[in-house]
Amino acid sequence: EDQVTQSPEALRLQEGESSSLNCSYTVSGLRGLFWYRQDPGKGPEFLFTLYSAGEEKEKERLKATLTKKESFLHITAPKPEDSATYLCAVLFPSGGSYIPTFGRGTSLIVHP
Amino acid sequence: DVKVTQSSRYLVKRTGEKVFLECVQDMDHENMFWYRQDPGLGLRLIYFSYDVKMKEKGDIPEGYSVSREKKERFSLILESASTNQTSMYLCASRPTGGGQPQHFGDGTRLSIL
């Protein structure tokens, strides 16, 4: 059973067409939720950390928001260079530590 | 900027070989991780380490082992490579404390023939 679920699996947008990606999770007492961007053949690149419901972070055309059970990555007026896979990860307790667990990602393609 | 360096971008090995994947980080992070990434399955944790000589199994440790003799270096070992271990392998590090994010290397694409 997935603890971190991302939707949709794939998303195709026209340049300038705003949309949102979803990350839902099943953990009580969130210690941190992360968004990453991954380009083909590269490792994930960190975008945002969110800690508590109501929190928002922005970077260029991206805005990440957080509720008690899910996070959204809003993409405003996307450009072709925003095409990538977007990954969400949540810290889950493991023994005496907290380990990031990843969703399967959303593959975004922005057409010019 | 944090730099996580994986020794090889591409690697081709034969079944039954012992394979070593190396990862080095330059930011004195306590925690290091090995993942494999397969289409449709996302990132799956193989092993992680929270200190020198310490290791913990992740979700899919079978067929793998790890070594962490120095803080900056974390090695993944395929004891006897099999074709189902063909994958992209990603190393990451992060500091202890708070909700610190992981920093990733660019991956090793491993093919087992």
Side-chain angles (χ1 to χ4, degrees):
Chain A
E1 180 183 329
D2 285 355
Q3 298 171 301
V4 181
T5 304
Q6 291 188 246
S7 62
E9 288 185 20
L11 183 62
R12 291 177 180 270
L13 299 173
Q14 288 297 126
E15 184 171 2
E17 180 187 1
S18 301
S19 189
S20 298
L21 314 183
N22 177 264
C23 172
S24 62
Y25 56 91
T26 56
V27 69
S28 56
L30 181 70
R31 299 294 291 257
L33 181 145
F34 309 99
W35 282 99
Y36 292 84
R37 170 192 170 123
Q38 186 177 23
D39 292 301
K42 306 274 270 181
E45 177 186 344
F46 170 68
L47 292 173
F48 304 112
T49 304
L50 300 167
Y51 293 102
S52 56
E55 191 175 1
E56 298 184 353
K57 296 273 180 75
E58 281 191 73
K59 180 180 179 180
E60 296 180 356
R61 295 176 293 281
L62 300 177
K63 183 167 80 171
T65 62
L66 183 65
T67 71
K68 284 189 177 178
K69 287 300 176 190
E70 58 189 350
S71 176
F72 292 92
L73 185 65
H74 307 278
I75 304 177
T76 303
K79 298 182 177 182
E81 52 262 43
D82 295 322
S83 299
T85 296
Y86 291 86
L87 298 169
C88 168
V90 174
L91 288 177
F92 279 84
S94 177
S97 185
Y98 285 84
I99 302 302
T101 295
F102 282 81
R104 299 186 183 192
T106 294
S107 174
L108 172 66
I109 297 175
V110 181
H111 295 285
Chain B
D1 275 356
V2 176
K3 191 160 181 65
V4 178
T5 303
Q6 294 185 230
S7 54
S8 305
R9 292 299 306 276
Y10 301 94
L11 207 53
V12 180
K13 297 291 182 181
R14 297 205 173 275
T15 55
E17 281 192 70
K18 191 169 185 176
V19 181
F20 294 85
L21 303 183
E22 307 286 344
C23 176
V24 176
Q25 50 100 359
D26 66 356
M27 282 301 291
D28 204 36
H29 288 171
E30 295 83 4
N31 305 283
M32 296 188 74
F33 306 80
W34 275 107
Y35 294 88
R36 63 177 284 176
Q37 185 174 33
D38 301 287
L41 297 179
L43 273 76
R44 292 182 291 166
L45 182 62
I46 304 171
Y47 269 96
F48 67 97
S49 168
Y50 54 88
D51 201 351
V52 176
K53 296 192 186 295
M54 307 303 289
K55 61 185 179 184
E56 294 285 343
K57 293 180 180 179
D59 300 319
I60 51 164
E62 298 77 20
Y64 303 95
S65 63
V66 290
S67 172
R68 193 165 180 204
E69 296 297 317
K70 294 185 177 181
K71 192 174 185 180
E72 68 270 19
R73 186 179 297 269
F74 193 34
S75 302
L76 180 69
I77 304 154
L78 285 66
E79 297 290 345
S80 178
S82 64
T83 55
N84 63 12
Q85 293 177 309
T86 292
S87 186
M88 169 71 97
Y89 289 87
L90 288 161
C91 174
S93 72
R94 72 184 279 264
T96 296
Q100 297 291 328
Q102 291 168 302
H103 299 268
F104 284 84
D106 277 338
T108 296
R109 186 162 294 282
L110 176 64
S111 296
I112 307 296
L113 305 179

